[in-house]
Amino acid sequence: MNVSVCEGDVVLAKFDQSVTPTKLRPAVALRQFALFGDWLLCAISTQLHQQVVGFDELLCPSDADFTTSGVKATSLIRLGYLAMRGPAAIVAVIGSISTQRHRQMLQRLSDHLRP
């Protein structure tokens, strides 16, 4: 059974890893693609030293949407760690980020990709 996901949701999804075949990790559902319903996901990490300043998104306990995000500690939404995953790879929705943060992330990614 597939989980009902909306853009901006924080989900637990299966990510392929180099060491282990699959790892469940939190991610932001950025955008769903129509043809097969696959999602563009942006991984979330607590490895704050990996932050690309001005690109990645820091999610802190003082942020208005921290509580609704479902993460338990200060986390890094790694805009450069993207993956396309089918609906079956999404195990659960644990929260959501604000609409404003979601839009800002999409805009930042779009700006980065624009020649």
Side-chain angles (χ1 to χ4, degrees), residues 17-102:
Q17 301 288 302
S18 58
V19 179
T20 56
T22 304
K23 178 181 178 182
L24 275 182
R25 69 177 312 123
V28 173
L30 288 179
R31 182 79 59 181
Q32 187 174 34
F33 287 75
L35 187 58
F36 297 107
D38 290 354
W39 281 92
L40 178 61
L41 302 178
C42 183
I44 298 176
S45 174
T46 56
Q47 302 297 311
L48 304 181
H49 66 277
Q50 295 178 340
Q51 181 179 16
V52 176
V53 178
F55 189 61
D56 291 331
E57 189 77 20
L58 196 59
L59 186 58
C60 303
S62 59
D63 294 340
D65 58 351
F66 180 82
T67 303
T68 62
S69 73
V71 300
K72 295 179 177 21
T74 300
S75 297
L76 188 60
I77 304 173
R78 297 187 59 205
L79 202 51
Y81 189 164
L82 301 172
M84 289 294 292
R85 293 291 178 263
I90 299 174
V91 175
V93 174
I94 62 169
S96 64
I97 59 171
S98 70
T99 301
Q100 179 182 2
R101 185 187 300 265
H102 178 252

Side-chain angles (χ1 to χ4, degrees), residues 1-6 9 11-12 14 32 36-39 85-93:
M1 184 168 100
N2 291 337
V3 177
S4 178
V5 179
C6 297
D9 280 350
V11 300
L12 285 180
K14 297 174 186 174
Q32 187 174 34
F36 297 107
D38 290 354
W39 281 92
R85 293 291 178 263
I90 299 174
V91 175
V93 174

